[in-house]
Amino acid sequence: MSVARVLVDGAQADTVSVADRGLSYGDGLFETIRFVHGHAPLWLRHMERLHGGCRRLGIPSVDAESCLREALAVSVGVEHAVVRITLTRGAGARGYAPPALPTPTRIVAAFDAPAMRGEIYQQGVRVRWCRTRLGLQPLLAGMKHLNRLEQVMARSEWSDASIHEGLLLDLEGRVVCATMANLFVVIDGALVTPSVDRCGVAGVARAEVLSVRPDVQVTTLSPDQLQRASEVFLCSSVRGILPVQAVGDTVYGPGPVTRAMQHHWRGLGYPMEQA
């Protein structure tokens, strides 16, 4: 995945201060946004989550219109782009205490979207269980903050190219999400997704599914319940709706609920042969 262009606080650059709190403490947030032909179908949801995270962390928020101009500037000429907006609390003195009047650092970078074969969207992907577990921290739950070490450790557990994702449990053994996506399952005809009020990321694609299907049950989910599911799919703003073919030795198949959500994603402007 190559970088097309990078803007730091609106200017072309590729460096930040060594005193930046995002580098020192992971003190910040980020959004990873899919652009298709210069259009980001879930842009408003990304901005809503970013503004909400800023409120929770006490970081001055960004102007959405300025962010969009910069996102379009860095991704110009890239047909299928992934734009990452990183917002840190900015530079500060040594120590955990945040500055009284922070000056945030804003980094906007564009990358080529990962190529995905069309059959993956038809047949589904293979997924494994991760040994790494997510810690419980309601103060940070749902946010896409900069500390992704749990996901890094989980993703380091496998190198088999045939395994597309890994599922994560929390410390109490409940299913939460995949390393880079949220999870939905169909059990006894009901569409279910794990709660992310104690850990995990409240994805914007997850929010879109919840808006389309207000009957979704947001609840706790055990591995045993997952084994009984008739359909399993992953969702992310970058890759869209991915059917799960198998989790370990348990085999599933794309069903009508998954196909309906894929159809909705096409209506938003996402191509299903690309992610």
Side-chain angles (χ1 to χ4, degrees), residues 30 55 74 76 87 106 117 151 161 180 194 253 261 267-268:
F30 73 103
R55 286 194 299 271
V74 296
V76 64
L87 186 69
R106 184 180 68 260
R117 301 187 309 276
Q151 287 74 18
M180 297 188 297
M261 290 313 307
L268 293 176

Side-chain angles (χ1 to χ4, degrees), residues 33 36-37 48 51 70 83 104 135 174 180 182 207 213 241:
I33 307 167
V36 181
H37 303 293
E48 181 180 3
H51 292 323
E70 293 176 7
V83 174
R174 296 169 175 174
M180 297 188 297
N182 286 113
R213 289 289 304 266
I241 304 295

